[in-house]
Amino acid sequence: MKRLLSTLCLLASAQLCLAAASAPVKLNVDATKVEGPMTPIWAWFGYDEPNYTTAPNGKKLLSDIAALSPVPVYVRAHNLMTSGDGSYALKWGSTGMYSEDKDGKPVYNWTIVDQIFDTYVERKMKPLAQIGFMPQALSQRPQPYQHQWKPGTPYQDIMTGWATPPNDYDKWSELIYQWVKHSVARYGRQEVESWYWEVWNEPDGFYLIAPDTKLEYFKMYDYAADAVKRALPTARMGGPHTAGAGRFMDDFLQHVLHGKNYATGKTGSPLDFVAFHAKGAPKVVDGVVRMGMDTHFKRLDEGFAIVANYPELKGVPVIIGESDPEGCAACGMQTNPENAYRNGTLYSSYTAASIAREYELAGKRGVNLIGAVNWSFEFEDQPWFAGFRDLATNGVNKPVLNVFRMFGMMRGERVAVGGERAYDAARIMAQGVRGAQTDINALASRDPHSIAVMVWNYHDDDVIDAGAPVELQIAGIPAGQVRLRHFRVDNDTSNSYSAWKRMGSPARPSAAQIAELQQASELAQLGRPATLATPDGKATVKMQLPRQAVSLIVIDY
């Protein structure tokens, strides 16, 4: 056994495996104890600017995302109905799908939205299709229509003519009906049945201008849901995608379950899934970024609690329509220094630790969580590593994408993890991760041919150090011989940002430098895979886990 442990220790990397001078943090995985399905809640992504989809860097990133997932990835984008020529800007995009002729008759143009959805479908991705925003010809306030918002200016400046309810609900309903009908004709009934449809974004926030936003949103939802279901009765429709859980979301659920439908006059409205948003709240403390995971978790739990209050919603899918460390993907670190976490390993370790706890929080409330949208994509025509909340910069993937690559290798069922764990979701919700101890913990899964264990070392404060030794004990391996691989994201590994800084942070990297950055952006293994004997169904892996590092141990059999 000592020889086996020594071999596994070397697998974790000779440079990283410490002697037993300091006591290791011990984590235990029991692959015989199933805790629930390893639902791919991480395989959901979104962004404001839909026209980035068809840009070369957008297509590359979508291909990379599709390749990492064993299941179809769902994509949610704003501005799919917005008027315009398809040009992009920060927090802006358009498809020009609707206009009117001189007599006020509808003119439908599906060209741009088809190009966007074609890009998804070609990669076996699925739209979380957002019915929004308001075409100019249907806006109650058509001028000014396109906003001129830039980072550093007031966020409410985005609220221009696209953000109103329709000036004609019948035309609005017919537009939606025609769009869904066209989608079925283009992609096939079975394909469109696998999508999700929704209305608007954050109607309780900065996205809907109306004297009574609640009444108008309920009316918009009823008309849209009726139109979707008339075009495709088996389509999946839901909402309300509120900025947070609260009275608006609760009243919406009351309305769709028991209220009078504005479109049909009947009781209730179709609801095939419930969606809300939850964000954290980073800040700068004494010159150091401090994350707000506690705020993020409180907002998640509030939403799950509201859903759990309705017996009628037992088992109904729940989607966190945006689940992120904070609320503005297009606010870079130059104007928002609290967002400086986004380039490096604080973002990747936060992502690992938070997604793992989403399973825990949903499970405690007994809700059927199927997706948690990571609101990050890429931004065109921006400086390298400008601190936007994105997965790639100028076509080079950032460290956080490698955590999603790790999640893509975790399949089947979640299994029990125990040991010397300092934090769980409840403690983080109450206190954050701000004490002397960091959050060293794990998420484990099994399928018929493998066991995968993700281990992270997270803390809210953006400080990197040597971390701690970790001893991972895995039991319940149903084979006498296995192959073990160790993948890692840390400050030196699977990290294009660190590589860019080592180059001197070039504003215009050369072709050779870009090739080097692309290589650094790939998910790397520590050491070589090894074949190991596990006659008692157990293995122990020792590693040194730096602060902000994430490891994935994969045992194949």
Side-chain angles (χ1 to χ4, degrees), residues 4-130:
L4 173 61
L5 295 185
S6 175
T7 304
L8 289 168
C9 189
L10 289 172
L11 272 171
S13 174
Q15 293 85 0
L16 294 178
C17 202
L18 295 182
S22 57
V25 176
K26 294 185 178 181
L27 298 174
N28 308 312
V29 173
D30 187 343
T32 67
K33 294 184 178 179
V34 175
E35 296 198 328
M38 186 67 201
T39 307
I41 62 172
W42 50 268
W44 300 67
F45 297 87
Y47 44 101
D48 291 74
E49 304 87 359
N51 306 105
Y52 290 163
T53 303
T54 52
N57 287 336
K59 287 185 173 181
K60 175 188 178 296
L61 180 54
L62 288 169
S63 293
D64 289 344
I65 293 170
L68 65 81
S69 176
V71 298
V73 171
Y74 281 87
V75 185
R76 177 176 186 255
H78 294 338
N79 291 297
L80 293 175
M81 299 174 74
T82 306
S83 296
D85 62 2
S87 300
Y88 50 72
L90 293 178
K91 298 191 72 66
W92 181 260
S94 61
T95 67
M97 70 161 58
Y98 181 88
S99 60
E100 294 180 356
D101 65 17
K102 60 183 178 58
D103 297 319
K105 298 292 180 61
V107 177
Y108 304 116
N109 185 344
W110 313 116
T111 303
I112 295 176
V113 75
D114 283 350
Q115 291 170 351
I116 293 167
F117 281 13
D118 287 355
T119 304
Y120 299 154
V121 173
E122 287 165 2
R123 290 159 178 77
K124 301 189 185 307
M125 295 172 137
K126 309 286 186 181
L128 176 47
Q130 186 180 112

Side-chain angles (χ1 to χ4, degrees), residues 184-249:
V184 172
R186 184 174 184 83
Y187 303 105
R189 182 186 184 96
Q190 185 175 2
E191 173 62 31
V192 181
E193 285 177 335
S194 70
W195 302 358
Y196 292 89
W197 295 84
E198 61 180 50
V199 182
W200 225 251
N201 179 69
E202 299 186 355
D204 58 334
F206 287 114
Y207 285 81
L208 188 59
I209 304 170
D212 187 336
T213 54
K214 193 179 294 184
L215 181 151
E216 289 288 358
Y217 179 73
F218 295 176
K219 187 175 180 180
M220 290 168 66
Y221 183 89
D222 289 350
Y223 272 84
D226 178 66
V228 169
K229 295 288 189 174
R230 281 190 291 110
L232 180 61
T234 50
R236 297 184 288 192
M237 182 78 192
H241 281 284
T242 45
R247 184 62 181 271
F248 193 112
M249 175 180 169

Side-chain angles (χ1 to χ4, degrees), residues 169-183:
Y169 271 90
D170 290 334
K171 288 182 176 179
W172 156 260
S173 177
E174 185 64 17
L175 166 60
I176 297 163
Y177 172 82
Q178 293 295 338
W179 183 20
V180 178
K181 185 178 177 182
H182 166 79
S183 297

Side-chain angles (χ1 to χ4, degrees), residues 355-542:
I355 291 177
R357 269 50 178 264
E358 287 169 345
Y359 292 104
E360 183 181 349
L361 290 166
K364 286 185 176 179
R365 294 292 185 180
V367 300
N368 179 23
L369 179 64
I370 65 167
V373 177
N374 182 275
W375 199 259
S376 56
F377 188 54
E378 66 104 10
F379 291 89
E380 290 290 320
D381 305 325
Q382 300 298 329
W384 286 81
F385 295 101
F388 293 102
R389 188 174 354 106
D390 49 16
L391 302 172
T393 177
N394 290 280
V396 172
N397 296 328
K398 294 164 73 170
V400 66
L401 188 72
N402 283 318
V403 169
F404 289 103
R405 286 176 167 144
M406 290 178 170
F407 276 117
M409 289 186 272
M410 302 186 73
R411 308 173 188 184
E413 300 166 308
R414 287 179 291 115
V415 296
V417 176
E420 300 167 356
R421 302 181 297 166
Y423 295 89
D424 59 12
R427 181 179 174 187
I428 294 173
M429 194 158 43
Q431 305 174 5
V433 185
R434 295 170 191 164
Q437 288 182 297
T438 58
D439 173 29
I440 297 177
N441 213 323
L443 176 71
S445 68
R446 74 170 194 193
D447 66 17
H449 301 291
S450 69
I451 295 169
V453 186
M454 181 184 288
V455 188
W456 59 84
N457 186 348
Y458 171 77
H459 195 280
D460 281 343
D461 291 343
D462 191 8
V463 175
I464 297 177
D465 58 32
V470 175
E471 184 175 298
L472 178 62
Q473 300 174 343
I474 305 171
I477 301 171
Q481 181 173 289
V482 300
R483 180 182 68 155
L484 188 146
R485 294 173 290 160
H486 185 170
F487 300 89
R488 168 65 66 80
V489 179
D490 62 26
N491 198 46
D492 301 312
T493 313
S494 311
N495 193 325
S496 59
Y497 181 52
S498 290
W500 180 72
K501 289 193 293 183
R502 287 193 297 269
M503 294 174 179
S505 306
R508 295 178 177 82
S510 66
Q513 287 175 319
I514 292 173
E516 185 178 342
L517 291 173
Q518 293 285 11
Q519 181 65 32
S521 74
E522 296 299 317
L523 179 60
Q525 291 188 53
L526 296 181
R528 295 182 177 181
T531 300
L532 302 169
T534 53
D536 56 355
K538 296 181 180 179
T540 299
V541 181
K542 296 181 179 180

